[in-house]
Amino acid sequence: YLTKYDCSSADLNPIGGICKADLKRFLYWAGESETLNYKILHEIVKAPPTAELEPVTDEYVQKDEDDMGMTYEELTIYGRLRKISRCGPVSMLLNLLNEWSHMTAKQVSDKVKFFFRMYSINRHKMTVLTPSVHMVGYSPEDNRHDLRQIFYNVRWPWQFKKMDEIVKRFECGDKLD
């Protein structure tokens, strides 16, 4: 999640290739570490991530997760499934139906559809980014090793239709192959 040519514009972006969940864990560790003991990092971890594009008031703080319509934890799961496991919408749904048993199949499907719509709309932003350090197999910045197309049909007609069929079968108790 980024604002093109804002937080993405620099000569080097040391945290651009780190997923937010890993970054939060690192900052928490650095705050707790007896060697580093940077207690101020706890305040950074607790602060809601924001693009700060709108004025902050006593009643309102713009939050990335609200703007994205998903949590950073969900975004990390989607990103890893899309990039490392090479999942498209249908295979991601099949993976998450087993993992997210606390939701209905329709809720999981809606979340996956929303992710792929947003990914399609914003994919072009990921192709011109400042170089960053790559420390994990999954990175929000995928332009260095991902040579897939830039523009997608945001409706994903075949995939979303197939997902609707899978949801119906799942809710009827059919075994999915």
Side-chain angles (χ1 to χ4, degrees):
Y1 180 73
L2 59 87
T3 305
K4 191 172 183 179
Y5 303 123
D6 176 36
C7 62
S8 65
S9 61
D11 292 328
L12 182 64
N13 185 357
I15 64 170
I18 302 172
C19 75
K20 301 297 187 253
D22 290 343
L23 180 59
K24 278 183 108 169
R25 280 192 293 275
F26 171 76
L27 292 174
Y28 184 80
W29 170 85
E32 291 294 307
S33 166
E34 289 183 25
T35 306
L36 299 175
N37 199 24
Y38 295 132
K39 296 294 182 196
I40 191 72
L41 294 177
H42 289 211
E43 290 182 41
I44 294 169
V45 170
K46 287 181 203 170
T50 176
E52 297 178 348
L53 297 174
E54 299 173 15
V56 176
T57 67
D58 291 337
E59 296 83 34
Y60 176 75
V61 174
Q62 179 187 15
K63 296 178 187 160
D64 289 354
E65 291 182 342
D66 292 342
D67 290 347
M68 292 187 302
M70 62 189 82
T71 66
Y72 274 111
E73 184 178 331
E74 290 171 336
L75 185 60
T76 298
I77 291 168
Y78 300 138
R80 286 184 174 143
L81 284 170
R82 187 196 62 76
K83 181 87 183 278
I84 296 172
S85 300
R86 301 181 188 276
C87 289
V90 175
S91 56
M92 187 179 291
L93 172 64
L94 292 170
N95 275 278
L96 290 176
L97 282 174
N98 296 321
E99 251 182 77
W100 289 354
S101 57
H102 62 285
M103 292 184 218
T104 67
K106 173 105 171 68
Q107 289 171 322
V108 175
S109 178
D110 288 347
K111 284 182 166 284
V112 171
K113 287 177 181 179
F114 182 75
F115 167 76
F116 274 97
R117 272 192 209 101
M118 294 297 100
Y119 177 77
S120 302
I121 291 167
N122 292 289
R123 172 74 173 119
H124 70 282
K125 295 178 186 178
M126 296 178 242
T127 60
V128 183
L129 291 180
T130 304
S132 63
V133 179
H134 295 274
M135 301 169 76
V136 293
Y138 157 70
S139 167
E141 177 195 357
D142 64 0
N143 64 312
R144 301 290 178 250
H145 307 289
D146 186 351
L147 302 177
R148 288 182 278 180
Q149 66 194 49
I150 296 172
F151 301 109
Y152 290 86
N153 181 342
V154 299
R155 292 183 304 275
W156 296 83
W158 184 90
Q159 293 89 340
F160 287 4
K161 182 180 176 198
K162 183 72 173 167
M163 290 170 70
D164 293 340
E165 293 169 11
I166 290 169
V167 166
K168 283 181 187 170
R169 287 181 49 210
F170 189 85
E171 288 175 345
C172 289
D174 290 352
K175 190 168 182 163
L176 301 175
D177 303 327

